[in-house]
Amino acid sequence: MNYLICFGIVVAAGCVLTFVSNGFAYAMSRMLEAGFEFVEYRLALRAHERRSMRRDAQRQVANVVTAFRGGEVALPVNRRSTQQLGVARVAA
């Protein structure tokens, strides 16, 4: 008789778990999905911040004003000929 009571308890517990498991599984899946969405959002936000920081750094590098140094200044080269400039050539 003792075995029948234990068997009945196991069967009853199995039936209860069967009815409850659908709701439990749904709740767990929603919690896991929310967790993954949170992690995905944080990673996307981090990537966006890094991209914007790189863009800002590139803009700052492009706008840097350097001190005047005579050796580094390249004078513009005029590619036009002396006749186009109206300068007469003088034979040396």
Side-chain angles (χ1 to χ4, degrees), residues 34-50:
F36 282 121
E37 290 290 326
F38 177 75
V39 169
E40 184 179 352
Y41 174 75
R42 295 291 295 173
L43 289 173
L45 185 62
R46 182 178 167 192
H48 177 72
E49 287 175 356
R50 284 187 175 186

Side-chain angles (χ1 to χ4, degrees), residues 65-76:
V65 177
T66 57
F68 176 75
R69 295 183 188 163
E72 295 179 4
V73 175
L75 297 174

Side-chain angles (χ1 to χ4, degrees), residues 21 24-25 28-30 32 36 43-44 46 68 73 77:
S21 67
F24 178 74
M28 284 301 295
S29 70
R30 296 296 294 169
L32 285 173
F36 282 121
L43 289 173
R46 182 178 167 192
F68 176 75
V73 175
V77 178

Side-chain angles (χ1 to χ4, degrees), residues 1-13:
M1 189 85 161
N2 194 7
Y3 294 113
L4 288 176
I5 293 174
C6 289
F7 180 71
I9 291 173
V10 169
V11 169

